[in-house]
Amino acid sequence: MSEVRTVKDALEIDDRVGEEHQADELEQFRTELTAYAYRMLGSGFESEDAVQEAMIRGWRGLDRFEGRSALRSWMYRITTNVCLDMLKSRERRALPMDLGPSQKTAEVVIGEPLGEATWIQPIPDGRVLTGTADPAEAAVQRETVQLAFIALLQNLPPRQRVVLILREVLQWRAAEVAELLDTSVASVNSALQRARATLATDGTTPDEAIAKATAGARAGSLSTSSAGTTDGEAADLLQRYLQVFENYDMEGLVALLHEDATMSMPPLNLWLSGTQEITAWMTGPGYECRGSRLVATSANGMPAFAQYRVAPDGGWKPWSLQVLQVVDGRITDMTFFLDTPTLFPYFGLPDRLG
């Protein structure tokens, strides 16, 4: 995984006047701030840029920090302002299923890839998960950086997004959010109500929409790694997935997929629904994936694989970062991110196999 550049590196801070200690005080918040910014922005690269800018602003303003609010809250305020500035006059990021209906493999016409700014981008777990020992907290961290939840958040206006994340995900009190946004408690409560109403689509309640996007209950347990799946079951499922994909065993793949599973391939603006269409694609337009090799990784609190296709000159070359959604022991969604020149170095993945 590519290295994070700390605020000490960015500003070439030394310890002549205790500056290094001050910078370390800010660095302790980097991972949780990155997760917060990622929920706001939907891009790992942009969220890390936002937090780096917030760190620099925070360090430069430490002499004006009067301690009236906790340092952590102060850094959240700065990060919020950076994110809101970045979101001005910007279209929301999305997943292919947010932009139109599913397609039939036989009717697909592959168009030009859409620009990077169109899509929600994956992020390595190590950038956004703090490694807490509390299983309930760990479950919330994982589930609220999942791709579907990030996509759901992008439907909200930026300030409503702030309120929903702080109140619903991070469990801040309304008064704390009001102080951060320089507004009233009544305004915060109103924004939260509007945000939750926006998320309730297709006749679902806000809670149902959030639960669907996070793929299960947040309570979790020490033995639960994804919704309805124990660690052992999940490991077995992923090992079987690796084997059937590398063997290009479509019958075996179907056995692992939910009947309504979806598959998408950003930056291509298409997605498929159902095992029949997925296998039709894999044996049709996607036949060149036969003979691929997979390397296990993780992204967005979800299992993932780096996919390498057979290279004409021997070995295997990067093709996609596959991020899988698993619910109740079945794969419900496969997102194949094709921007490997950018994503593979970011995830610390080899640029070639064999």
Side-chain angles (χ1 to χ4, degrees), residues 46-95:
E46 287 192 349
S47 65
E48 295 200 33
D49 287 346
V51 171
Q52 186 72 338
E53 174 63 22
M55 289 283 180
I56 291 171
R57 291 187 190 181
W59 186 83
R60 287 175 172 163
L62 273 175
D63 60 335
R64 300 189 301 275
F65 177 63
E66 299 176 358
R68 287 178 295 183
S69 59
L71 183 60
R72 177 174 179 265
S73 300
W74 189 60
M75 288 305 302
Y76 267 90
R77 175 193 286 265
I78 297 173
T79 304
T80 298
N81 290 335
V82 173
C83 289
L84 290 175
D85 286 344
M86 293 175 70
L87 287 168
K88 288 178 180 177
S89 303
R90 180 177 302 187
E91 296 294 326
R92 71 181 180 98
R93 290 178 178 267
L95 294 171

Side-chain angles (χ1 to χ4, degrees), residues 307-309 316-320 338 340-341 344 350-353:
Q307 177 192 350
Y308 296 81
R309 289 205 322 196
W316 293 266
K317 62 182 180 179
W319 177 250
S320 74
L338 304 183
T340 57
F344 273 39
D351 59 8
R352 195 173 182 89
L353 297 180

Side-chain angles (χ1 to χ4, degrees), residues 15-290:
D15 200 26
R16 286 174 296 183
V17 288
E19 293 174 333
E20 186 172 4
H21 174 69
Q22 292 175 330
D24 287 340
E25 283 190 292
L26 300 183
E27 285 294 334
Q28 67 179 311
F29 305 118
R30 183 179 290 274
T31 301
E32 63 176 289
L33 289 174
T34 301
Y36 173 58
Y38 179 67
R39 295 179 185 111
M40 287 286 294
L41 302 172
S43 163
F45 297 109
E46 287 192 349
S47 65
E48 295 200 33
D49 287 346
V51 171
Q52 186 72 338
E53 174 63 22
M55 289 283 180
I56 291 171
R57 291 187 190 181
W59 186 83
R60 287 175 172 163
L62 273 175
D63 60 335
R64 300 189 301 275
F65 177 63
E66 299 176 358
R68 287 178 295 183
S69 59
L71 183 60
R72 177 174 179 265
S73 300
W74 189 60
M75 288 305 302
Y76 267 90
R77 175 193 286 265
I78 297 173
T79 304
T80 298
N81 290 335
V82 173
C83 289
L84 290 175
D85 286 344
M86 293 175 70
L87 287 168
K88 288 178 180 177
S89 303
R90 180 177 302 187
E91 296 294 326
R92 71 181 180 98
R93 290 178 178 267
L95 294 171
M97 48 280 297
D98 300 317
L99 302 182
S102 63
Q103 300 175 38
K104 300 293 185 182
T105 297
E107 302 170 358
V108 166
V109 176
I110 300 177
E112 290 295 318
L114 299 183
E116 183 276 336
T118 303
W119 305 113
I120 290 168
Q121 298 293 329
I123 192 167
D125 281 1
R127 309 286 196 181
V128 290
L129 304 183
T130 63
T132 176
D134 183 331
E137 183 180 349
V140 172
Q141 286 186 16
R142 286 195 309 270
E143 292 165 0
T144 58
V145 294
Q146 288 184 353
L147 294 172
F149 186 67
I150 300 301
L152 192 69
L153 290 174
Q154 307 312 300
N155 293 312
L156 299 175
R159 286 179 70 87
Q160 288 184 26
R161 209 177 301 175
V162 170
V163 170
L164 186 104
I165 294 168
L166 292 176
R167 293 283 285 122
E168 298 277 320
V169 177
L170 300 180
Q171 299 295 301
W172 283 36
R173 297 191 303 274
E176 294 173 314
V177 180
E179 182 179 359
L180 181 144
L181 291 174
D182 290 324
T183 189
S184 67
V185 169
S187 178
V188 167
N189 289 335
S190 176
L192 179 61
Q193 184 177 15
R194 293 196 306 273
R196 287 172 59 82
T198 299
L199 299 184
T201 57
D202 300 326
T204 62
T205 67
D207 287 335
E208 288 170 342
I210 292 171
K212 181 180 179 181
T214 54
R218 295 182 182 182
S221 69
L222 191 59
S223 62
T224 300
S225 58
S226 57
T229 307
T230 66
D231 286 340
E233 291 169 343
D236 180 63
L237 172 67
L238 297 176
Q239 181 59 34
R240 285 187 288 142
Y241 176 82
L242 183 150
Q243 292 171 348
V244 300
F245 195 95
E246 291 192 341
N247 292 331
Y248 228 60
D249 173 6
M250 293 299 105
E251 183 177 345
L253 179 62
V254 167
L256 302 180
L257 299 178
H258 189 279
E259 61 180 5
D260 296 324
T262 59
M263 183 176 77
S264 59
M265 291 161 281
L268 300 179
N269 185 22
L270 66 90
W271 65 284
L272 307 169
S273 178
T275 55
Q276 182 175 344
E277 291 301 328
I278 291 173
T279 55
W281 177 273
M282 299 284 282
T283 56
Y287 76 97
E288 291 184 3
C289 288
R290 187 185 303 272

Side-chain angles (χ1 to χ4, degrees), residues 291-333:
S292 291
R293 292 292 178 265
L294 301 184
V295 174
T297 184
S298 59
N300 295 75
M302 307 162 73
F305 290 95
Q307 177 192 350
Y308 296 81
R309 289 205 322 196
V310 175
D313 56 347
W316 293 266
K317 62 182 180 179
W319 177 250
S320 74
L321 178 72
Q322 305 181 4
V323 183
L324 309 180
Q325 178 103 33
V326 179
V327 179
D328 294 332
R330 287 289 183 270
I331 297 169
T332 59
D333 181 77

